[in-house]
Amino acid sequence: GGVAPEGLVPIGSCIRSVCLDPWTFYCASDFKKLKTGCCLTGVDRSLMVRVICANKMFFADIDAPKEIVNVWQLPMDRRMSFEFEKLKILSDYCKEHKDMLVRVYRTAKGLRYLNSSFEIDPASEFSDRSLEVFGSDEVYRMLTLKDACYRARVEPKPWRVKRIKIKKPNARFRTCQLIDIVGSGRPNPSFDFLIKTHDDYSLALDE
């Protein structure tokens, strides 16, 4: 056990071949003892939605400009302009780091990257530099370094679906959508389970 990352309450384990109590807080030192790609699901106290905390599988969220409330609702030309700019930066970065293989997801506020080829220590200089280049906000960069873990929300924020839920109580809502895979690296088989967990919870592959 240890001190939980701020704002997170563990609610279940998404870890194969590792015995952890899903109701216990785990700190960075605990994570480092575990096998490749281990993570926990948790709940963000402020939102009451599930997130994934990963200590070896790199996540980056890149937000669109603040005046953009929902990327999915943008006219196609504006959305494509924002995504083209960010994907050009990612593509150039992957050419410099040829072992990267990045899954690209569209979110309500922008893009999410998931490196599926090799482990990246969230407390490392390479991790922070990558987040900076990609355009992740300073708060996410700070928390990633401080808590030595990446976070990825896999359920939509409540206010984005509240009105629809009233009319359709059983409706399911996508948190992100897989739109591209960038880079020439090889997929890391040890990440398969975590990627599936992320994609299943977030409905990233739903039509």
Side-chain angles (χ1 to χ4, degrees):
V3 179
E6 290 182 0
L8 296 177
V9 183
I11 61 167
S13 172
C14 286
I15 304 176
R16 280 192 308 184
S17 304
V18 179
C19 294
L20 292 179
D21 177 358
W23 294 98
T24 299
F25 292 131
Y26 293 90
C27 62
S29 60
D30 296 319
F31 276 126
K32 290 176 181 177
K33 298 173 186 176
L34 304 177
K35 296 182 180 180
T36 301
C38 292
C39 78
L40 296 173
T41 56
V43 169
D44 185 315
R45 281 197 182 102
S46 63
L47 301 175
M48 294 309 293
V49 294
R50 288 183 178 88
V51 299
I52 283 180
C53 301
N55 69 320
K56 298 179 181 179
M57 191 169 71
F58 177 92
F59 282 101
D61 275 358
I62 296 88
D63 287 348
K66 291 184 178 180
E67 63 270 16
I68 297 176
V69 177
N70 192 322
V71 169
W72 279 319
Q73 296 175 356
L74 283 177
M76 182 64 72
D77 58 341
R78 288 193 65 193
R79 187 174 77 188
M80 294 300 291
S81 175
F82 163 74
E83 291 179 354
F84 179 82
E85 175 189 348
K86 295 301 181 182
L87 289 176
K88 177 66 166 59
I89 294 171
L90 174 62
S91 178
D92 289 345
Y93 197 74
C94 287
K95 288 176 183 176
E96 293 180 27
H97 305 279
K98 299 184 184 300
D99 49 352
M100 294 190 78
L101 183 66
V102 180
R103 296 169 68 85
V104 180
Y105 301 84
R106 180 180 294 130
T107 69
K109 281 297 292 179
L111 296 170
R112 172 175 294 169
Y113 300 159
L114 184 165
N115 181 55
S116 61
S117 56
F118 62 92
E119 300 175 8
I120 300 178
D121 182 351
S124 68
E125 183 178 341
F126 178 73
S127 171
D128 190 53
R129 173 60 178 158
S130 299
L131 292 173
E132 180 183 22
V133 170
F134 296 152
S136 286
D137 67 71
E138 292 185 4
V139 173
Y140 182 80
R141 289 176 56 199
M142 177 193 69
L143 289 174
T144 299
L145 279 170
K146 174 176 173 288
D147 297 322
C149 75
Y150 303 103
R151 293 174 174 81
R153 184 171 46 79
V154 291
E155 289 182 334
K157 294 179 179 179
W159 57 83
R160 290 185 180 146
V161 300
K162 184 176 180 180
R163 291 180 181 177
I164 300 175
K165 276 286 189 183
I166 294 174
K167 296 180 179 179
K168 299 180 179 180
N170 297 321
R172 300 176 72 206
F173 299 92
R174 173 185 291 166
T175 306
C176 60
Q177 177 186 21
L178 181 67
I179 61 171
D180 205 351
I181 298 178
V182 178
S184 56
R186 294 184 177 183
N188 186 337
S190 65
F191 287 161
D192 288 351
F193 180 73
L194 297 187
I195 293 172
K196 185 177 187 306
T197 298
H198 171 271
D199 290 356
D200 285 352
Y201 270 97
S202 63
L203 307 182
L205 304 183
D206 281 19
E207 294 295 332

